């Protein structure tokens, strides 16, 4: 008798992400864009068995399959990628949008190490994942099979252009007083350089935005310099 078709599945997360990104806003739109971002994948029982990660330490990169748990369950056939200015619509399956059926995401991340002293947790870098993201699976990355530098990449043929970032003296003073001055400065620069502002608002230069990174709210605005170039200026850093 032929097997009956699979019409629905139920998945159990194997763990959850702890990351530098408490909110969706500001998280880089792909992994590898802010390597100052640190994260941990904490495996949950019964998947927190050290045997399950034996050999994984020999790989430098991993595919993480996860749930866009903060996105609505309702999906849309057409989406508006920020890379296309936020107005043009393309098919959801031609995009990396979070508004997709099953809300599955996939990120290639760097594996820095594995801790097995208390449960199992993986130290990751360069993630594009919000704190609390449920993880469904991990697999080692095989560059000989999966790296395709010659591939066509549709409407996103290259990494997005970076914006210059500067901090006011007040913001610099707040940063200097923290124990994580260097790493937080690097993270702020890398995240803001991606220009997290919504694509459709980029003309509104007088607006103040806030990005949550670790335990701080980084308040910034866009300014136009003497050479008519846009840059992002951090006005203040507020511990929340
Ligand atoms: N690399 C993954 C992919 O291609 O499937 C994610 C790409 S998606 C465009 C990246 C964005 O997802 C981030 O900028 C962030 O705003 C959002 N995001 C990250 N974690 C999320 C979560 N748990 N729930 C909903 N949105 C999330």
């Amino acid at each position: 008798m032929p097997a009956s078709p699979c019409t629905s599945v139920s998945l159990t997360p194997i763990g959850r992400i702890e990351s530098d990104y408490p909110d969706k806003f500001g998280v880089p739109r792909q992994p590898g864009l802010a390597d100052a971002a640190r994260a941990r994948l904490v495996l949950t029982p019964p998947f927190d068995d050290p045997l399950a990660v034996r050999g994984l330490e020999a790989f430098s990169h991993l595919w993480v399959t996860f749930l866009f748990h903060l996105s609505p369950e309702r999906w849309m056939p057409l989406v508006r990628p920020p890379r296309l200015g936020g107005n043009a619509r393309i098919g959801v399956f031609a995009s990396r949008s979070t508004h997709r059926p099953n809300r599955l995401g996939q990120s290639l991340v760097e594996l820095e190490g594995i801790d097995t002293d208390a449960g199992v947790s993986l130290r990751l870098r360069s993630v594009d994942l919000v704190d609390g993201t449920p993880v469904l699976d991990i697999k080692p990355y095989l560059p000989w099979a999966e790296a395709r530098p010659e591939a066509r990449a549709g409407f996103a043929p290259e990494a997005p252009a970076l914006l210059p970032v500067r901090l006011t003296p007040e913001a610099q003073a707040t940063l200097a007083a923290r124990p994580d001055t260097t790493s937080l400065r690097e993270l702020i620069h890398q995240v803001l350089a991606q220009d997290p502002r919504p694509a459709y608002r980029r003309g509104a230069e007088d607006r103040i935005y806030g990005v949550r990174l670790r335990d701080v709210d980084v308040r910034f605005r866009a300014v136009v310099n003497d050479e008519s170039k846009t840059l992002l200026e951090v006005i203040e850093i507020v511990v929340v």
Side-chain angles (χ1 to χ4, degrees):
M1 204 165 84
S4 55
C6 174
T7 53
S8 99
V9 289
S10 158
L11 302 174
T12 306
I14 59 160
R16 67 188 284 282
I17 292 289
E18 293 175 1
S19 81
D20 278 340
Y21 303 121
D23 286 341
K24 275 194 297 182
F25 181 64
V27 179
R29 296 187 176 104
Q30 285 302 331
L33 296 174
D35 66 8
R38 296 291 193 280
R40 219 170 241 284
L41 164 50
V42 182
L43 298 186
T44 42
F47 309 105
D48 60 343
D49 182 339
L51 294 178
V53 292
R54 186 189 285 175
L56 190 62
E57 71 287 350
F59 293 86
S60 62
H61 292 74
L62 305 176
W63 286 110
V64 175
T65 305
F66 60 93
L67 187 73
F68 288 117
H69 73 307
L70 299 178
S71 291
E73 287 192 31
R74 197 174 137 262
W75 68 278
M76 290 174 287
L78 290 174
V79 296
R80 293 186 290 192
R83 280 296 281 274
L84 291 177
N87 284 320
R89 292 169 196 262
I90 58 159
V92 65
F93 297 132
S95 84
R96 308 293 290 245
S97 169
T98 66
H99 297 272
R100 54 198 318 115
N102 298 318
R103 298 188 295 167
L104 286 182
Q106 240 184 339
S107 292
L108 181 62
V109 303
E110 220 176 307
L111 176 65
E112 281 202 316
I114 303 179
D115 298 326
T116 53
D117 289 346
V120 176
S121 71
L122 314 186
R123 278 176 277 123
L124 308 177
R125 269 180 97 121
S126 297
V127 302
D128 55 351
L129 306 173
V130 175
D131 188 62
T133 297
V135 172
L136 297 163
D137 201 4
I138 48 181
K139 286 181 183 170
Y141 169 64
L142 300 177
W144 56 267
E146 297 172 311
R148 290 284 185 269
E150 77 285 8
R152 283 182 290 125
F155 62 86
E158 56 205 22
L162 301 180
L163 277 189
V165 177
R166 75 177 182 209
L167 278 70
T168 58
E170 294 75 18
Q172 287 184 39
T174 311
L175 200 51
R178 289 181 55 96
D180 58 351
T181 306
T182 307
S183 69
L184 183 57
R185 181 188 296 118
E186 204 184 356
L187 184 61
I188 290 171
H189 275 270
Q190 292 180 354
V191 165
L192 294 194
Q194 305 294 322
D195 197 354
R197 295 174 298 156
Y200 63 90
R201 291 208 66 110
R202 287 188 184 166
E205 303 292 3
D206 54 344
R207 195 184 153 113
I208 294 177
Y209 296 89
V211 164
R212 291 276 307 277
L213 296 174
R214 298 183 186 163
D215 61 337
V216 298
D217 189 20
V218 180
R219 301 200 180 137
F220 68 96
R221 66 179 170 200
V223 295
V224 178
N225 69 12
D226 297 341
E227 292 150 10
S228 304
K229 295 249 164 63
T230 300
L231 58 88
L232 297 187
E233 179 180 60
V234 177
I235 306 162
E236 57 177 347
I237 297 172
V238 180
V239 178
V240 287

